[in-house]
């Protein structure tokens, strides 16, 4: 059964089941008119290429992939990251799988309190440029956990996370930052789509503070990243 959802501020129509349907329940919306995005869902075909996955896992991946590939048409992108909200801003920690993104955002919640730090999305938050400002959104696609919230929050900063024996954070920009972020986002297949994505990435790097963090799995690491990122967000955005 096709249903309409409001995801990242867009009307989304999809026919889904299992985990996707459960995690999208809070995004259900009564909408009128044509949807902005129609989800292309082919879990059976995906499973033929990935037989080690269950049908439900394939459905979860295909619906999310379809949404994020179309998001670029609306000045948006996915960033593979763990996103938390603190004092009115969203902070994203991005890195390859297994690096410790979720561990670090869990440390933020433990260090500063779950009443102050909210998990927005633990794997694939959506980012959109709207009226001259970047916002982060929760989405139903949040990786191995169900940690996502249906809300929009001004984006305060992005951090590329690496493991280390000390805790050090520094501004990160230029070509290396762009490459690091491009590795963690959905890239449209069409040539014109790639051009739009590159333009969006350039605007993101220009408008939003980007950091590189070398860290240990300790509360000290959370304090180091929080202090630098929050101070800069307040300085730049007020």
């Amino acid at each position: 059964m096709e249903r309409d959802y409001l995801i990242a501020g867009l009307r989304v129509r999809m026919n889904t089941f299992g985990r996707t349907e459960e995690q999208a329940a809070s995004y259900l919306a009564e909408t009128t008119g044509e949807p902005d995005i129609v989800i292309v869902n082919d879990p059976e075909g995906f499973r033929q290429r990935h037989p080690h996955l269950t049908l439900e896992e394939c459905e979860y991946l295909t619906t999310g992939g379809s949404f994020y590939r179309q998001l670029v048409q609306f000045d948006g992108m996915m960033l593979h990251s763990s996103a938390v909200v603190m004092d009115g801003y969203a902070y994203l920690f991005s890195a390859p799988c297994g690096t410790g993104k979720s561990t670090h955002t869990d440390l933020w919640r433990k260090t500063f309190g779950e009443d102050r730090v909210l998990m927005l999305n633990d794997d694939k938050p959506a980012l959109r440029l709207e009226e001259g400002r970047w916002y982060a959104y929760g989405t139903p696609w949040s990786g191995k956990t169900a940690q996502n919230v249906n809300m929009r929050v001004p984006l305060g900063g992005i951090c590329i996370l690496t493991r280390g024996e000390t805790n050090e954070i520094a501004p990160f920009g230029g070509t290396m930052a762009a490459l690091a972020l491009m590795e963690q986002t959905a890239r449209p297949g069409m040539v014109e789509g790639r051009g739009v994505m590159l333009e969006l990435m350039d605007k993101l790097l220009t408008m939003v503070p980007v950091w590189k963090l070398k860290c240990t799995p300790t509360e000290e690491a959370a304090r180091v990243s929080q202090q630098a990122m929050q101070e800069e967000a307040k300085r730049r955005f007020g």
Side-chain angles (χ1 to χ4, degrees):
M1 175 181 175
E2 284 191 339
R3 295 183 177 180
D4 286 349
Y5 300 82
L6 189 64
I7 304 173
L10 300 167
R11 295 193 303 273
V12 179
R13 184 163 295 164
M14 63 179 170
N15 182 0
T16 187
F17 64 87
R19 181 180 172 191
T20 309
E21 183 177 26
E22 292 174 5
Q23 292 186 192
S26 63
Y27 298 80
L28 277 167
E30 295 293 334
T31 62
T32 59
E34 291 301 310
D36 299 301
I37 289 177
V38 176
I39 294 294
V40 178
N41 186 10
D42 182 21
E44 292 284 2
F46 191 85
R47 193 180 186 190
Q48 290 178 9
R49 300 188 299 274
H50 305 276
H52 62 289
L53 298 175
T54 67
L55 187 63
E56 184 172 309
E57 289 170 334
C58 292
E59 194 271 348
Y60 189 74
L61 292 170
T62 55
T63 52
S66 178
F67 172 77
Y68 291 118
R69 284 191 296 273
Q70 296 179 70
L71 183 61
V72 69
Q73 302 170 24
F74 301 92
D75 289 336
M77 67 176 73
M78 175 275 288
L79 188 65
H80 177 219
S81 58
S82 185
V84 291
V85 178
M86 182 174 180
D87 299 341
Y89 289 102
Y91 300 97
L92 277 60
F93 293 88
S94 183
C97 292
T99 305
K101 301 181 299 296
S102 297
T103 297
H104 192 77
T105 50
D106 280 344
L107 285 167
W108 271 50
R109 299 171 77 189
K110 292 175 182 176
T111 303
F112 308 110
E114 294 188 10
D115 57 335
R116 188 179 176 192
V117 180
L118 172 72
M119 178 64 73
L120 181 65
N121 186 287
D122 196 30
D123 191 61
K124 293 182 176 66
L127 305 180
R128 288 189 66 197
L129 178 59
E130 302 173 273
E131 299 180 346
R133 185 160 190 177
W134 282 93
Y135 292 88
Y137 285 87
T139 75
W141 301 283
S142 51
K144 296 178 180 179
T145 75
Q147 296 189 78
N148 68 84
V149 179
N150 184 8
M151 62 187 298
R152 181 183 85 159
V153 186
L155 182 55
I158 298 170
C159 187
I160 306 299
L161 186 148
T162 61
R163 293 177 180 175
E165 296 182 358
T166 59
N167 298 306
E168 303 173 26
I169 189 169
F172 192 38
T175 302
M176 296 304 295
L179 289 173
L181 293 178
M182 286 297 290
E183 284 296 318
Q184 302 302 324
T185 190
R187 298 180 288 279
M190 296 183 296
V191 173
E192 57 267 32
R194 294 175 189 171
V196 173
M197 175 62 78
L198 289 172
E199 290 179 8
L200 280 173
M201 187 62 69
D202 182 63
K203 292 177 181 177
L204 183 67
L205 287 165
T206 301
M207 300 171 66
V208 176
V210 179
W211 305 84
K212 188 168 186 179
L213 173 68
K214 181 171 65 174
C215 66
T216 61
T218 62
E219 289 190 5
E220 180 193 20
R223 296 186 186 280
V224 166
S225 61
Q226 180 268 345
Q227 181 177 2
M229 295 179 75
Q230 194 166 44
E231 286 183 358
E232 179 62 17
K234 290 181 177 179
R235 185 193 71 80
R236 188 177 297 197
F237 304 122

